[in-house]
Short mmCIF file of all heavy atoms in Angstrom, two decimals:
data_model
loop_
_atom_site.label_atom_id
_atom_site.label_comp_id
_atom_site.label_asym_id
_atom_site.label_seq_id
_atom_site.Cartn_x
_atom_site.Cartn_y
_atom_site.Cartn_z
N SER A 48 42.57 88.05 -45.76
CA SER A 48 43.11 88.65 -46.97
C SER A 48 42.04 88.99 -48.01
O SER A 48 42.34 89.62 -49.01
CB SER A 48 44.16 87.72 -47.60
OG SER A 48 43.54 86.54 -48.08
N TYR A 49 40.79 88.59 -47.78
CA TYR A 49 39.71 88.86 -48.74
C TYR A 49 39.36 90.34 -48.72
O TYR A 49 39.16 90.95 -47.67
CB TYR A 49 38.47 88.03 -48.39
CG TYR A 49 37.32 88.29 -49.31
CD1 TYR A 49 37.31 87.79 -50.61
CD2 TYR A 49 36.22 89.04 -48.90
CE1 TYR A 49 36.26 88.03 -51.47
CE2 TYR A 49 35.16 89.28 -49.75
CZ TYR A 49 35.19 88.78 -51.03
OH TYR A 49 34.14 89.02 -51.87
N LYS A 50 39.29 90.92 -49.88
CA LYS A 50 38.92 92.32 -50.03
C LYS A 50 37.55 92.40 -50.69
O LYS A 50 37.33 91.82 -51.76
CB LYS A 50 39.93 93.08 -50.90
CG LYS A 50 41.35 93.00 -50.40
CD LYS A 50 41.51 93.75 -49.10
CE LYS A 50 42.97 93.70 -48.67
NZ LYS A 50 43.15 93.80 -47.26
N VAL A 51 36.63 93.10 -50.07
CA VAL A 51 35.28 93.25 -50.61
C VAL A 51 35.34 94.20 -51.79
O VAL A 51 35.92 95.29 -51.68
CB VAL A 51 34.33 93.80 -49.53
CG1 VAL A 51 32.93 93.99 -50.09
CG2 VAL A 51 34.31 92.88 -48.32
N PRO A 52 34.77 93.79 -52.94
CA PRO A 52 34.80 94.70 -54.09
C PRO A 52 33.95 95.94 -53.81
O PRO A 52 32.91 95.87 -53.17
CB PRO A 52 34.20 93.87 -55.23
CG PRO A 52 33.51 92.74 -54.58
CD PRO A 52 34.12 92.53 -53.24
N SER A 53 34.41 97.08 -54.29
CA SER A 53 33.69 98.33 -54.05
C SER A 53 32.46 98.39 -54.95
O SER A 53 32.47 97.91 -56.08
CB SER A 53 34.61 99.53 -54.33
OG SER A 53 35.03 99.49 -55.69
N LEU A 54 31.41 98.99 -54.43
CA LEU A 54 30.16 99.11 -55.16
C LEU A 54 30.06 100.48 -55.80
O LEU A 54 30.44 101.49 -55.20
CB LEU A 54 28.98 98.89 -54.23
CG LEU A 54 28.89 97.51 -53.56
CD1 LEU A 54 27.72 97.47 -52.59
CD2 LEU A 54 28.74 96.43 -54.62
N LYS A 55 29.52 100.50 -57.00
CA LYS A 55 29.32 101.75 -57.73
C LYS A 55 27.83 101.96 -57.92
O LYS A 55 27.04 101.02 -57.87
CB LYS A 55 29.99 101.69 -59.09
CG LYS A 55 31.47 101.41 -59.03
CD LYS A 55 32.02 101.21 -60.43
CE LYS A 55 33.41 100.63 -60.38
NZ LYS A 55 33.86 100.20 -61.69
N ALA A 56 27.43 103.17 -58.16
CA ALA A 56 26.02 103.47 -58.39
C ALA A 56 25.55 102.84 -59.70
O ALA A 56 24.38 102.47 -59.85
CB ALA A 56 25.79 104.97 -58.41
N SER A 57 26.43 102.68 -60.65
CA SER A 57 26.05 102.14 -61.95
C SER A 57 25.91 100.61 -61.92
O SER A 57 25.45 100.03 -62.90
CB SER A 57 27.07 102.55 -63.01
OG SER A 57 28.35 102.01 -62.68
N ASP A 58 26.32 99.95 -60.83
CA ASP A 58 26.22 98.49 -60.75
C ASP A 58 24.77 98.02 -60.74
O ASP A 58 24.46 96.91 -61.17
CB ASP A 58 26.93 97.97 -59.50
CG ASP A 58 28.43 98.08 -59.60
OD1 ASP A 58 28.93 98.28 -60.73
OD2 ASP A 58 29.10 97.98 -58.55
N ALA A 59 23.85 98.84 -60.25
CA ALA A 59 22.46 98.45 -60.14
C ALA A 59 21.70 98.58 -61.45
O ALA A 59 20.60 98.06 -61.59
CB ALA A 59 21.76 99.28 -59.07
N GLU A 60 22.27 99.28 -62.42
CA GLU A 60 21.58 99.47 -63.70
C GLU A 60 21.34 98.13 -64.37
O GLU A 60 22.22 97.28 -64.43
CB GLU A 60 22.39 100.38 -64.62
CG GLU A 60 22.41 101.82 -64.16
CD GLU A 60 23.22 102.69 -65.10
OE1 GLU A 60 23.50 102.26 -66.23
OE2 GLU A 60 23.57 103.81 -64.68
N GLY A 61 20.15 97.94 -64.85
CA GLY A 61 19.80 96.70 -65.51
C GLY A 61 19.23 95.66 -64.54
O GLY A 61 18.59 94.73 -64.96
N HIS A 62 19.48 95.85 -63.26
CA HIS A 62 18.96 94.92 -62.26
C HIS A 62 17.79 95.51 -61.47
O HIS A 62 17.02 94.78 -60.88
CB HIS A 62 20.06 94.52 -61.26
CG HIS A 62 21.20 93.81 -61.91
ND1 HIS A 62 21.10 92.52 -62.38
CD2 HIS A 62 22.46 94.21 -62.17
CE1 HIS A 62 22.26 92.16 -62.90
NE2 HIS A 62 23.11 93.16 -62.79
N VAL A 63 17.69 96.83 -61.46
CA VAL A 63 16.67 97.51 -60.68
C VAL A 63 15.88 98.42 -61.62
O VAL A 63 16.46 99.13 -62.43
CB VAL A 63 17.31 98.34 -59.54
CG1 VAL A 63 16.26 99.06 -58.74
CG2 VAL A 63 18.15 97.45 -58.65
N GLN A 64 14.57 98.41 -61.48
CA GLN A 64 13.73 99.27 -62.30
C GLN A 64 13.65 100.66 -61.68
O GLN A 64 13.77 100.83 -60.47
CB GLN A 64 12.32 98.70 -62.42
CG GLN A 64 12.27 97.39 -63.18
CD GLN A 64 10.85 96.87 -63.27
OE1 GLN A 64 9.94 97.38 -62.64
NE2 GLN A 64 10.67 95.84 -64.06
N LYS A 65 13.45 101.64 -62.53
CA LYS A 65 13.29 103.02 -62.06
C LYS A 65 11.94 103.15 -61.37
O LYS A 65 10.95 102.59 -61.81
CB LYS A 65 13.35 104.00 -63.24
CG LYS A 65 14.64 103.96 -64.01
CD LYS A 65 15.75 104.61 -63.24
CE LYS A 65 17.01 104.61 -64.09
NZ LYS A 65 18.17 104.98 -63.36
N PHE A 66 11.89 103.90 -60.28
CA PHE A 66 10.65 104.10 -59.54
C PHE A 66 9.85 105.23 -60.15
O PHE A 66 10.39 106.31 -60.44
CB PHE A 66 10.93 104.42 -58.07
CG PHE A 66 9.69 104.70 -57.29
CD1 PHE A 66 8.86 103.68 -56.90
CD2 PHE A 66 9.34 106.00 -56.97
CE1 PHE A 66 7.71 103.93 -56.18
CE2 PHE A 66 8.19 106.27 -56.25
CZ PHE A 66 7.37 105.23 -55.85
N SER A 67 8.58 104.96 -60.36
CA SER A 67 7.67 106.03 -60.79
C SER A 67 6.42 105.92 -59.93
O SER A 67 5.85 104.83 -59.76
CB SER A 67 7.31 105.89 -62.28
OG SER A 67 6.71 104.63 -62.52
N ALA A 68 6.01 107.04 -59.37
CA ALA A 68 4.85 107.05 -58.47
C ALA A 68 3.58 106.72 -59.26
O ALA A 68 3.42 107.15 -60.41
CB ALA A 68 4.73 108.42 -57.81
#
Side-chain angles (χ1 to χ4, degrees):
S48 67
Y49 179 74
K50 303 292 182 208
V51 179
S53 61
L54 298 176
K55 302 174 193 169
S57 62
D58 289 345
E60 289 180 16
H62 298 288
V63 179
Q64 294 180 351
K65 300 286 183 191
F66 177 76
S67 58

